[in-house]
Amino acid sequence: MIMDCAVYRHGHRTKGSGDLSDALDAARAAGGFVWIGLHEPSEGEFDLVTQEFGLHPLAVEDALKAHQRPKLEVYDDSLFMVLKPVVYEPESDTVSAGEVMVFVGENFVVTVRHGDGAPLAAVRHRLEKEPDMLDKGPTAVLYAIADATVDHYLEVATELQTDLDELEAEVFRPEVGGSRNTASRIYTFKRQVLEFRRATGPLALPLARLAGSGPLGTSVPFVHDESRPFFRDVNDHLTRVSESVEALDRLVSDILSAHLAQMSVRQNDDMRKISAWAAMAAVPTMIAGIYGMNFDHMPELHWVWSYPAVIVVMAALEVLLYGLFKRRGWL
């Protein structure tokens, strides 16, 4: 589904035909470029775009099937980049990732969006208010999309840090030490961090290539050398995000270990209490068992004060055991 199709000349949007071929011809004639935005297109809808812009079939296959890792592919007539914008849902405290595929050529930009997490409409509106930036051509669009995606990563990392602080406070709360569902919440949070890492981690190499600091420092076709500082800035922001993700992953692992250790200590305390009460119950049981064997010839069996004496001995032993266990912290 084509969401928008516009021709840009000298940084300004011009009124053009809805026909892709006419839009591309107009962009070439005016020395500008055409930007086409699509949302989850079908194979039939994308065939026309493929034919008009000469997109590589492997890149087209990736754009249609989605579920790709962030990457950068260079073909003869175009540049293909995959980004994974993420969305944080505060109601469920979950992170979901969409996908944005960007085709960049000499006079065109084709963006393909999957999911609801792509900020393309906001990027287009912002760029149209900055004609000086938009005048840089398709490279400006690629930079703006990457910048908006990575900046949103920072916001999601902040939200996850807030959730982690709340989880940490719950685990280390002295009077509770975490509920029965705490371990499940920790594992769920760890999966959200993993989903976040899948979106941010693989993006480092493509941005490094665009910034000119990739393998051999070679420049990428269809990307002007003047844009390298901008992509370096985006790469710096991504580095901050990656560091935040690494810190979140380490902290949540430490919190999980601490919670499991607390549970183990609590179980040991419970076992010690059970053992102490069992030991205290064993003493009167043993004495009562001996005097309940119904033998005729037993010491003190026919003594008048035998029963009170046995009760006193039981009580004294119970008090002695209770005091001993109490001093050792078992009760």
Side-chain angles (χ1 to χ4, degrees):
M1 179 177 179
I2 297 179
M3 304 300 295
D4 200 351
C5 176
V7 176
Y8 296 90
R9 181 174 181 270
H10 300 313
H12 296 279
R13 181 169 182 152
T14 62
K15 185 177 181 180
S17 172
D19 184 82
L20 299 183
S21 180
D22 293 342
L24 182 58
D25 292 339
R28 288 171 175 169
F33 69 96
V34 59
W35 180 1
I36 299 173
L38 301 99
H39 178 238
E40 298 182 357
S42 64
E43 185 174 352
E45 292 172 336
F46 207 61
D47 282 343
L48 179 59
V49 179
T50 302
Q51 295 172 5
E52 291 295 336
F53 297 100
L55 305 180
H56 196 279
L58 293 178
V60 171
E61 181 181 359
D62 290 343
L64 289 174
K65 292 185 177 180
H67 303 293
Q68 304 295 317
R69 298 173 74 249
K71 63 179 181 178
L72 178 67
E73 299 287 350
V74 178
Y75 299 103
D76 293 336
D77 300 323
S78 63
L79 186 71
F80 178 64
M81 186 171 184
V82 179
L83 301 101
K84 293 182 74 69
V86 296
V87 174
Y88 175 80
E89 300 174 0
E91 294 80 9
S92 56
D93 294 335
T94 57
V95 173
S96 59
E99 288 186 55
V100 173
M101 287 77 170
V102 185
F103 294 87
V104 177
E106 193 66 34
N107 300 103
F108 68 87
V109 176
V110 177
T111 55
V112 182
R113 178 168 62 92
H114 292 270
D116 300 325
L120 297 187
V123 170
R124 187 186 289 264
H125 293 325
R126 179 168 61 86
L127 279 177
E128 290 178 353
K129 295 179 181 179
E130 301 178 8
D132 291 339
M133 174 64 72
L134 199 55
D135 191 35
K136 304 296 183 182
T139 301
V141 177
L142 180 61
Y143 158 72
I145 294 174
D147 184 55
T149 301
V150 174
D151 283 348
H152 192 61
Y153 286 164
L154 292 171
E155 298 175 8
V156 174
T158 301
E159 295 289 348
L160 289 176
Q161 183 62 55
T162 301
D163 289 346
L164 183 61
D165 292 341
E166 295 175 356
L167 193 59
E168 185 178 19
E170 177 182 342
V171 170
F172 292 101
R173 193 180 305 166
E175 65 275 12
V176 179
S179 63
R180 294 181 178 180
N181 297 326
T182 300
S184 176
R185 287 188 59 196
I186 295 174
Y187 275 114
T188 301
F189 185 86
K190 194 171 181 64
R191 290 192 63 86
Q192 306 311 314
V193 175
L194 178 60
E195 182 72 17
F196 195 21
R197 172 181 282 179
R198 287 173 179 169
T200 60
L203 188 57
L205 182 57
L207 285 179
R209 293 180 62 188
L210 291 171
S213 55
L216 304 179
T218 56
S219 61
V220 178
F222 309 106
V223 176
H224 299 296
D225 292 340
E226 296 177 357
S227 64
R228 287 188 177 188
F230 294 96
F231 285 108
R232 278 200 295 268
D233 181 68
V234 178
N235 198 24
D236 289 341
H237 291 175
L238 181 64
T239 300
R240 289 173 51 195
V241 173
S242 299
E243 291 174 352
S244 298
V245 173
E246 291 293 335
L248 287 171
D249 188 57
R250 288 195 302 269
L251 284 174
V252 72
S253 297
D254 292 343
I255 290 174
L256 179 60
S257 298
H259 175 66
L260 295 178
Q262 284 183 331
M263 296 297 294
S264 178
V265 170
R266 190 181 305 171
Q267 289 176 353
N268 289 338
D269 289 341
D270 293 340
M271 288 301 300
R272 286 191 299 180
K273 291 179 181 180
I274 294 173
S275 299
W277 286 112
M280 293 173 62
V283 171
T285 301
M286 178 189 68
I287 296 175
I290 292 174
Y291 281 90
M293 290 188 292
N294 298 321
F295 291 121
D296 290 333
H297 303 287
M298 291 181 65
E300 300 88 21
L301 189 63
H302 300 287
W303 184 35
V304 177
W305 298 101
S306 294
Y307 179 74
V310 169
I311 296 299
V312 170
V313 170
M314 288 183 181
L317 290 175
E318 290 295 298
V319 171
L320 178 63
L321 288 175
Y322 181 83
L324 178 63
F325 292 143
K326 193 71 174 179
R327 282 196 301 272
R328 292 187 177 183
W330 286 32
L331 292 174

